[in-house]
Amino acid sequence: MADLTLDVARKILDAALAKGVEKKLKPLVITILDARGCVKVTAAQDGTSLMRAEIAHGKAYGALAMGMGSRALFQRAQEQAYFIGAVNTLAQGRMVPVPGGVLIDAGGVLLGAVGVSGDTSDNDEACAIAGIEAAGLKANAG
């Protein structure tokens, strides 16, 4: 698989949402970007708060832009706050360096990233990983 298809993105989305329901999480927004950074699919459960879509996108975007899951970006932000701040300035504030942005890997080929927002960062990340793995792909959370 060289590209992230809409069918695969929908499988990831459905499985990530199902994980949130299974864990009884707060309402989630899930955004899936292809390797170019373009939105393949995004969905918001009923009851999400206003900025969740932007946060989910920022988690996925940051992971994709830096080539590492947003958990690694979070760690780097703690260790090198000025660097992550400078990179986020270059990215026009579009990066959200906290867990919940997970890269999608298909046998060493980067297909895109999933960003989830709505519950705790750890729970958001768990839903992204569950979605990616349900589609038979490898998740890289950082």
Side-chain angles (χ1 to χ4, degrees):
M1 175 184 310
D3 293 319
L4 180 64
T5 65
L6 182 57
D7 286 341
V8 171
R10 286 179 173 166
K11 286 178 188 172
I12 294 168
L13 173 70
D14 290 344
L17 288 170
K19 186 62 150 180
V21 169
E22 172 192 316
K23 292 175 65 91
K24 296 181 170 67
L25 302 182
K26 294 177 185 173
L28 302 175
V29 173
I30 298 171
T31 296
I32 301 171
L33 305 179
D34 66 16
R36 303 170 301 150
C38 295
V39 175
K40 286 303 275 191
V41 65
T42 192
Q45 290 180 307
D46 297 339
T48 59
S49 58
L50 184 60
M51 293 292 296
R52 291 297 172 191
E54 290 85 354
I55 295 167
H57 186 276
K59 289 179 179 185
Y61 181 86
L64 196 58
M66 294 297 291
M68 61 181 74
S70 63
R71 180 168 293 277
L73 290 176
F74 177 68
Q75 185 67 34
R76 188 124 185 228
Q78 293 175 338
E79 296 167 0
Q80 296 179 310
Y82 291 115
F83 174 76
I84 293 298
V87 171
N88 205 12
T89 298
L90 292 171
Q92 299 173 340
R94 292 182 293 209
M95 290 178 27
V96 178
V98 298
V102 181
L103 296 173
I104 306 166
D105 181 276
V109 176
L110 178 63
L111 296 184
V114 178
V116 180
S117 181
D119 205 270
T120 67
S121 293
D122 289 339
N123 284 334
D124 293 346
E125 179 183 85
C127 291
I129 291 170
I132 293 166
E133 291 177 349
L137 299 165
K138 184 178 178 196
N140 178 354

